[in-house]
Amino acid sequence: MEELSTRRVIIVGAGLGALYAALALAPRPVLMISPERLGEGASSAWAQGGVAAAMSAEDSPDSHAADTVRAGAGTVDAEVAARTVREAREHILALTDLGTPFDRTPEGGYVLSREAAHSFARVVRVRGDQSGAEIMKALVAQVRATPSVQVLEGVKAIALDTDGGRVTGVAVQRSGPEGSAPAMLRGAAYLLAGGGSAGLYAVTTNPARIRGQVIGMAARAGAVIADPEFVQFHPTAIDVGEDPAPLATEALRGEGAVLINRHGERFMQALHPDAELAPRDIVARAIYAQAQAGLRPMLDTRAALGARIKTQFPAVAAACARNGLDPAEAPIPVAAAAHYHMGGIAVDAEGRASLGNLWVCGEASSTGLHGANRLASNGLLEALVYARACAAGIGRALGPDSAGAGELHPEFRPGGVMPDPEAIAALRRVMTDHVGVVRNAAGLKAALREIARLEAGQPDCPAFLNMTATATLIAAAALRREESRGAHYRDDFPAPRGGAGTRTRITLAEALALRQQVEKETP
Ligand code: SIN
C-alpha cells in the first residue's frame, strides 16, 4: 500500500467541527480529508435550525442545560450539558467575528427562534433556514485563507491503523464512484469529525455520504461506542419521494405552523401539552403513527406564515417549489426521517476517544450531551464546543513541535473495492423497516441477520464494512435495550425501565457476538 507520513494533525471530515478545529489548531499544520469540494456534502451545511445559545436577557445557561437534560430522557450527562451550554455565547460571538451573518435585531441583538422543548426562543440563525450553509460558507473562507491547513479534496477515510491501542494511521481512497487503491497516511494525531449515521436509513434528511462510515471505522479499530441505539427521527421531513428527504425546519412550528392530517385534524394537542412543540421523539412517533394509519400527516404553515415562508424560509420554499407545492396555498406532506445520531464514538471532556492519539468531535462522537433525544440545535453547538476542546487537547498532547509537517500528496494507484450501491440500498431499507421509529425484538433480529448477510457479500470493501459495523452497533444496542427511552421506542417494551436511565457503552466485538447469537436462533 502507498504510505506517506507527516507531522501534521490529520482531520477526517470537512464539516463544522472539522473546519472549526482546523482554525483553532492554527498555526499548527493540519491535513484535512474532505470527501468532496470543501464545504460541499457536509451535513452541517444542511442544518436549517441554527445554534442554540442562551442569548436573551430572560434566558440563562442554567435554563438551557435544564431543557437539554429534560429532553434527553434521563441519559444526558448533566455536567457535560452545563459545561457545553455555558460556552455557547462565546462561540456565537466567535462565529460572528469569523464572518457569519447572523440575523440581527434593529438594536444589534441576535434574532432568536423557538424550537421544540426549549423554554425560550434561543436558536441563533441566519436568514430563517440558512444557518448551516452560511456558517459553513464563513468557515470555509477562513480555512481557505489559513496557510497551515492542507485540504485533500475528493478523498475519503476508510480505516484506522492502530498499534497497541493507539492510532497510527488512516487509510484513504478517492471518494468518486471509480475509487482507488487505498493509501495510508500517517500524522502526528488524528481527529475524526466526519458526521453521523442517519444516511444509513432509506428515509433520511442527511446527505448521501453520511452513512456511519466514521463511527464504523473507529469501531472496527476497537474504539468504544456509546449510545448507538439512540437515533433521532425528525418529524417533518418533506414527504415528496426525494432521497434525501428535504427538511421542513422545526422553527416553522416555532413560528406557529401546525400539524394536521388529511381530515384537517390537529393531532398533537391530544398527545402533549406543548402540542407541535413537544420533544422531537414524541412528535416523530405521532407523525409515524398518522402515516401508518393512512392519515397523511402534513405541516400547515398557511395561517402562521402565509407567503412569508418564501422569504423567511427559502430552503423549505425551494424544496416545495421543485416538487410543485405552494406552502402558502396548501399544507406540506411530512414524514419522520432519520436525522441525527445521538450515539457515536465515546469521548471524554476533551473529545478524546478510548483509542490513544484519537480525538472525535461533532456527530461522530458521543459526549453525553444529547442523551436519548437531542434538543434541537444543540448539535452544531456541541460540534463547536468539542472542536475547540479537541484542538486544545491535541495541542497539549503534541506540544509545540511541528517539524516535519510537510504536505502529503498521495498518488492514488488504481484498484480498491467500492461499495455495491444495491447492497447499500438494501442496508438502508432494513434500517428504516426494522431499526426505525418503532422497534421490537423480532424486527431487530431480522435486521441483524440481514446486515450479516449483506456484509458477507462485500467482505473486502472497508467502506461498506464501516456502514455495516455501525448498522450492527445500532441494531444490537437497540435489541439489548429492553425499554423505551427518548428516540428509542420498543413496542414490545413500551415503558422506560424504572430509575435513572443508563448510557450504553459497547464495542463492535460485543455487538458482533450478539449478532452471531441471533444468527444461530431459528427465525
Ligand atoms: C430543524 O431545524 O428542525 C433541525 C434543527 C436540528 O436538528 O437541530
Side-chain angles (χ1 to χ4, degrees):
M1 187 190 305
E2 184 187 5
E3 187 164 324
L4 299 93
S5 295
T6 177
R7 289 293 300 160
R8 286 174 181 263
V9 174
I10 297 185
I11 299 182
V12 171
L16 177 69
L19 297 168
Y20 203 58
L23 294 173
L25 281 161
R28 183 182 294 279
V30 156
L31 170 64
M32 184 180 290
I33 296 168
S34 174
E36 293 172 48
R37 245 182 85 72
L38 196 56
E40 291 173 10
S43 45
S44 320
W46 291 25
Q48 291 186 2
V51 187
M55 302 294 281
S56 68
E58 68 273 22
D59 198 0
S60 68
D62 284 351
S63 168
H64 186 178
D67 288 346
T68 300
V69 169
R70 197 175 316 113
T75 54
V76 169
D77 181 326
E79 219 171 281
V80 167
R83 207 181 47 239
T84 306
V85 304
R86 227 180 10 244
E87 283 187 33
R89 170 181 284 272
E90 72 183 71
H91 289 283
I92 298 299
L93 300 180
L95 287 180
T96 307
D97 287 346
L98 289 168
T100 307
F102 287 117
D103 293 347
R104 307 300 283 260
T105 63
E107 299 75 37
Y110 288 83
V111 173
L112 301 170
S113 294
R114 177 101 193 261
E115 292 189 341
H118 284 278
S119 299
F120 294 94
R122 67 160 72 95
V123 179
V124 179
R125 63 185 204 187
V126 186
R127 287 197 295 122
D129 56 18
Q130 298 295 298
S131 304
E134 291 291 338
I135 295 170
M136 286 291 287
K137 206 193 286 176
L139 294 188
V140 165
Q142 293 287 342
V143 163
R144 291 257 188 237
T146 302
S148 58
V149 185
Q150 181 200 351
V151 184
L152 270 185
E153 291 179 324
V155 175
K156 68 178 185 199
I158 53 171
L160 294 176
D161 198 21
T162 57
D163 185 10
R166 188 178 161 78
V167 176
T168 54
V170 55
V172 297
Q173 68 182 165
R174 280 201 194 286
S175 57
E178 70 293 348
S180 72
M184 180 62 69
L185 307 183
R186 301 203 186 277
Y190 302 85
L191 170 62
L192 302 182
S197 310
L200 273 176
Y201 287 77
V203 184
T204 180
T205 60
N206 279 208
R209 201 175 39 71
I210 306 297
R211 292 190 174 146
Q213 293 95 327
V214 173
I215 296 167
M217 172 190 331
R220 292 204 304 126
V224 173
I225 304 300
D227 295 342
E229 67 274 38
F230 294 137
V231 175
Q232 185 165 69
F233 298 88
H234 198 292
T236 56
I238 303 179
D239 188 18
V240 282
E242 281 188 20
D243 177 28
L247 187 66
T249 175
E250 204 162 90
L252 291 162
R253 280 174 278 140
E255 293 282 323
V258 294
L259 292 164
I260 58 171
N261 61 23
R262 70 183 164 88
H263 300 307
E265 292 157 359
R266 272 184 79 183
F267 46 87
M268 280 312 302
Q269 288 164 312
L271 297 176
H272 195 278
D274 293 335
E276 281 81 2
L277 289 176
R280 193 171 279 183
D281 58 318
I282 293 170
V283 187
R285 276 195 294 283
I287 293 283
Y288 181 80
Q290 292 281 318
Q292 291 294 102
L295 290 171
R296 189 62 167 153
M298 292 173 280
L299 180 67
D300 192 348
T301 65
R302 290 173 295 182
L305 285 145
R308 279 194 298 129
I309 191 169
K310 295 177 188 169
T311 48
Q312 294 191 359
F313 294 91
V316 177
C320 289
R322 70 176 175 264
N323 288 284
L325 295 169
D326 181 353
E329 296 294 329
I332 305 167
V334 291
H339 180 64
Y340 189 94
H341 198 180
M342 274 81 70
I345 304 157
V347 295
D348 67 12
E350 269 192 3
R352 196 187 280 265
S354 62
L355 296 174
N357 211 20
L358 183 68
W359 285 259
V360 192
C361 66
E363 199 175 336
S365 68
S366 179
T367 64
L369 176 67
H370 305 310
N373 184 42
R374 178 182 61 103
L375 189 65
S377 292
N378 267 356
L380 296 186
L381 171 62
E382 183 196 51
L384 294 165
V385 168
Y386 277 83
R388 194 185 273 178
C390 288
I394 291 170
R396 277 192 295 275
L398 297 184
D401 175 29
S402 58
E407 293 201 346
L408 296 188
H409 295 282
E411 67 181 58
F412 289 116
R413 299 170 188 152
V417 190
M418 298 297 279
D420 168 12
E422 279 181 26
I424 295 177
L427 179 63
R428 296 178 69 205
R429 195 67 255 161
V430 79
M431 293 300 284
T432 284
D433 288 348
H434 293 310
V435 198
V437 179
V438 176
R439 305 163 169 181
N440 56 47
L444 292 166
K445 288 180 179 181
L448 285 167
R449 284 187 208 102
E450 177 66 358
I451 296 165
R453 190 188 70 77
L454 292 167
E455 188 176 286
Q458 291 236 274
D460 303 322
C461 178
F464 190 62
L465 296 179
N466 292 337
M467 295 182 218
T468 56
T470 302
T472 299
L473 282 156
I474 296 171
L479 182 60
R480 234 168 57 169
R481 187 176 283 276
E482 293 185 330
E483 65 165 348
S484 290
R485 184 173 292 281
H488 167 73
Y489 183 80
R490 295 266 309 245
D491 64 8
D492 49 353
F493 293 95
R497 245 184 259 132
T502 51
R503 296 190 63 202
T504 296
R505 286 176 74 85
I506 187 170
T507 61
L508 182 58
E510 290 164 342
L512 287 171
L514 182 53
R515 193 176 86 180
Q516 276 155 13
Q517 194 182 310
V518 167
E519 283 181 273
K520 283 189 202 132
E521 290 173 11
T522 325

